[in-house]
Amino acid sequence: MQRRCRRAAALAWALTVCMIRLAAARVSGPLTPVRRALWLQSAGRGVLASLGIKWSAQGTAPSHGLVVSNHLSYLDILIYSAAMPCAFVSKVEVNKWPYFGVAARAGGTIFIDRSSRASVAAVAAEMQERLRAPAPVLLFPEGTSTNGEHVLAFHPSLFEPAVRAGAPVTAAAVRYVIEGGVPERELCWFGEAPFLPHLWKALGTPGFTAQVVFGQPATYADRREAARATHAQVSEMRIIVLSGADAMQPQLLP
């Protein structure tokens, strides 16, 4: 209980600091997509530091294009935003979350309602515009978060903007390592688990480290091929990282 309360207080303070920095950024000039991505990176690093969450990355974080990854939890957003300035494609429900919806909008998140064809088409058009910016767009093409046992098939529709723009697509994988051999799935947010109870549970989890692996960027002529190829890469990276192979041990980044 003490761990949870201590982390909850640290999280509240870190989120307050993020909003103060956002207000200062608004005063200093227009929030371009790049400035939003940089603010989100600062916010992500600040929150992770306040909670004592360590993170590391293997490979080179891309500076532009589309990044696609497996999806385990809302924590993924903190990890990837800390690793690189980027914008996210997220489900529309996040837009209504207390505080986090405001932060997501401030960070330039593109919201999608996958049940609406019109929303998917609008998001694809916005993604194509964002792919011209010197900051990548990150997409979780499984369409949902999972318990980490398998990487679900990637939905190919939102690969189309990158294909049309000839933008590079980079596969990435994320995993969580919890102290004491606690299974990764204990941090995963999946199924019908409500957000706030899971967050309270996560705040009480023993120390853990997030690991990210970035693959090599590639361009694709077909969205289905892009989805198949990157799914295979992410699945392979998850297997290699989970095996603990020395060659894939990431180096801690600041």
Side-chain angles (χ1 to χ4, degrees):
M1 179 62 73
Q2 287 184 345
R3 179 189 292 120
R4 284 191 176 95
C5 293
R6 184 174 63 252
R7 286 180 173 175
L11 176 61
W13 173 247
L15 296 179
T16 301
V17 171
C18 289
M19 289 296 104
I20 293 173
R21 289 178 175 173
L22 176 62
R26 291 184 185 279
V27 170
S28 63
L31 288 180
T32 64
V34 173
R35 291 190 68 211
R36 290 179 184 276
L38 289 170
W39 170 80
L40 189 60
Q41 182 180 47
S42 174
R45 291 186 173 187
V47 171
L48 292 176
S50 72
L51 297 177
I53 299 174
K54 298 178 181 179
W55 61 275
S56 59
Q58 169 87 18
T60 302
S63 60
H64 64 290
L66 181 66
V67 180
V68 295
S69 170
N70 64 304
H71 194 17
L72 303 175
S73 167
Y74 45 83
L75 295 171
D76 302 347
I77 295 173
L78 289 173
I79 305 305
Y80 278 115
S81 62
M84 62 183 177
C86 63
F88 291 88
V89 178
S90 180
K91 61 182 182 181
V92 70
E93 289 83 359
V94 174
N95 191 29
K96 300 178 181 179
W97 288 2
Y99 181 88
F100 296 100
V102 175
R105 292 193 298 273
T109 297
I110 304 170
F111 296 104
I112 180 171
D113 180 357
R114 291 186 179 273
S115 66
S116 167
R117 290 186 178 181
S119 175
V120 173
V123 166
E126 186 171 358
M127 284 179 61
Q128 192 160 348
E129 179 66 26
R130 294 284 192 93
L131 287 171
R132 299 190 180 99
V137 174
L138 194 144
L139 170 69
F140 298 112
E142 291 172 287
T144 187
S145 51
T146 74
N147 64 7
E149 292 181 1
H150 304 285
V151 180
L152 303 180
F154 284 0
H155 297 285
S157 58
L158 292 182
F159 284 84
E160 185 65 26
V163 170
R164 289 185 178 181
V169 181
T170 303
V174 60
R175 90 178 271 218
Y176 295 95
V177 182
I178 309 173
E179 291 179 0
V182 177
E184 179 186 55
R185 65 177 289 138
E186 291 302 308
L187 269 179
C188 296
W189 183 50
F190 59 97
E192 299 300 321
F195 172 67
L196 288 178
H198 186 274
L199 176 60
W200 186 243
K201 175 185 175 182
L203 290 173
T205 302
F208 61 91
T209 299
Q211 298 177 346
V212 171
V213 181
F214 291 105
Q216 293 295 318
T219 56
Y220 299 92
D222 177 79
R223 68 182 186 179
R224 296 188 184 278
E225 174 58 27
R228 285 193 296 267
T230 53
H231 178 272
Q233 292 174 52
V234 172
S235 298
E236 181 179 11
M237 287 190 288
R238 280 278 299 172
I239 292 172
I240 293 174
V241 172
L242 285 171
S243 72
D246 290 340
M248 293 299 292
Q249 287 301 312
Q251 296 179 345
L252 191 65
L253 298 180

